[in-house]
Amino acid sequence: MEQNLALWLLPIVGLLVGVAIGYLIARSTSPNRTQRQVDDLQERFDTYQSEVITHFNTTASLLRKLTNSYQDMQDHLSEGANKLALDEQTRQRLLAALHSDEHNPRERLNSPVFTEAPKDYAPKGDDAPGTLHENFGLKSRL
């Protein structure tokens, strides 16, 4: 009987010890892996955020340069119009053409407005029945 009890008790105790050791190992390694994943994600997020900030700073700087270049071009054209125009009337026309785009932005073209619905039938005379008339196309019996 003791042999039978030892035969059953030994595997059960080994199983319980194995489960306890597995649980302790899993518990001690899992937070480290999870923490590494969180740290990796945080690092990737910080890198992404830094790239976004750099992108928008560069965009703002380029836009500022573009605005300055446009202003320089406008000034150069105004000076050229003042220096090179042969008479006052030509100078005024050149300057007006230069500054007209600033104050009057180009308007979009709109589609034409139709006041009459399209016809789905051929035109007819005043005394003839229309194609939608109930007697259209029927010969009268007289």
Side-chain angles (χ1 to χ4, degrees), residues 20 37 64 72 113 115 128:
Q37 287 176 341
R64 205 173 313 114
D72 291 344
V113 178
T115 57

Side-chain angles (χ1 to χ4, degrees), residues 135 137-142:
N135 293 332
L138 298 178
K139 293 181 182 176
S140 63
R141 295 184 197 174
L142 289 176

Side-chain angles (χ1 to χ4, degrees), residues 49-60:
Q49 197 172 19
S50 173
E51 288 175 0
V52 168
I53 290 170
T54 302
H55 169 76
F56 282 112
N57 284 339
T58 303
T59 302

Side-chain angles (χ1 to χ4, degrees), residues 116-142:
E116 183 180 345
K119 297 179 180 178
D120 60 346
Y121 56 89
K124 63 175 186 66
D126 290 336
D127 59 341
T131 56
L132 299 177
H133 191 270
E134 62 184 24
N135 293 332
F136 180 77
L138 298 178
K139 293 181 182 176
S140 63
R141 295 184 197 174
L142 289 176

Side-chain angles (χ1 to χ4, degrees), residues 2 10 19 21 55 59-60 99 101 111 142:
E2 278 184 37
L10 217 53
V19 168
I21 290 173
H55 169 76
T59 302
H99 298 292
D101 286 340
S111 60
L142 289 176

Side-chain angles (χ1 to χ4, degrees), residues 11-27:
I12 291 174
V13 170
L15 180 67
L16 290 175
V17 169
V19 168
I21 290 173
Y23 176 74
L24 290 175
I25 289 173
R27 187 174 170 208

